[in-house]
Amino acid sequence: MSWWKKPWVFPILLTVVIVAGSTWYIKQIMQQDVVPKDVVKRSLESMYQGSVEQLTDGTDGYDAEIRRNGALYSATVDHKTGKVLALTLLKEAEPELAVKPETKDAKNAKETPAASVEKPAAVPLPKSGEQQKSIPEPAPKPVEKPVVKPQPKPQPQPAPQAKPKPEPKKSVWLTSQQAVNIALKQLNAKVPVEVEDVDFVESEQGGYYLVELELDTDADRNEVVYQIHAISGKVLSVAWDD
């Protein structure tokens, strides 16, 4: 039994034919969707009023070079829609030398021949027996001496004044000693008082001091803590420790 009579040969051949036909069909469809080069060229020349010097296939579309008014541009055109995706100036137009028009005077000077130069009239010679009168020479003009104006003396410039130093900004917060003084004044004790501790606590209202005082007494309540506002100096609270 030969190989082409085997049952698996026909399905393989049919599959190859189907794949080849599908590939050819898809290629034909894709080629129909692409805008022809001659159509793209006419569209570019009509759009930019120039001449397309080069039109090739690129990765992103057609690559075209357009010459317009002496300048060279590079354009990228979509294969399927013919839309211009990018336009770049490659070379600017060279400036032309301006030719000045001839004026009427210059034109007439070219056409009219050179004017004849008139010769001075000859001075008649004296006749016999006559004496030639001498022509007096003009008197020389006096030479005017240049007037030299005295230059003003330079005025001494005032010495630059030193800028006053800015005054240091004063702090709005009380010092810890000021807080202690406020607490002692508020306590007004008749017995000796010792400062145990002073702490500063930050807050949104500007902060406050905690001043802890100890009284030299045998009473049970001999320690007190004052809460004093760090800006206004106001006593916010008083807490006695038994």
Side-chain angles (χ1 to χ4, degrees), residues 21-71:
S22 301
T23 304
W24 178 84
Y25 180 73
I26 293 173
K27 187 176 180 181
Q28 293 296 323
I29 293 177
M30 291 180 65
Q31 289 181 353
Q32 290 178 1
D33 292 340
V34 174
V35 180
K37 288 185 178 181
D38 55 346
V39 177
V40 174
K41 181 179 180 181
R42 290 196 302 268
S43 177
L44 291 175
E45 290 177 347
S46 175
M47 185 184 305
Y48 296 106
Q49 297 297 315
S51 60
V52 177
E53 296 186 352
Q54 187 176 356
L55 185 62
T56 58
D57 290 326
T59 55
D60 298 332
Y62 290 120
D63 293 333
E65 291 186 0
I66 307 170
R67 179 79 62 177
R68 182 178 183 272
N69 295 336

Side-chain angles (χ1 to χ4, degrees), residues 69-71 91-98:
N69 295 336
K91 184 179 179 182
E92 296 182 355
E94 297 180 356
E96 298 180 356
L97 296 177

Side-chain angles (χ1 to χ4, degrees), residues 216-227:
D216 188 6
T217 178
D218 295 336
D220 294 337
R221 302 177 65 186
N222 59 354
E223 291 184 1
V224 61
V225 178
Y226 284 90
Q227 183 184 7

Side-chain angles (χ1 to χ4, degrees), residues 119-125:
K119 297 181 180 181
V123 180
L125 297 175

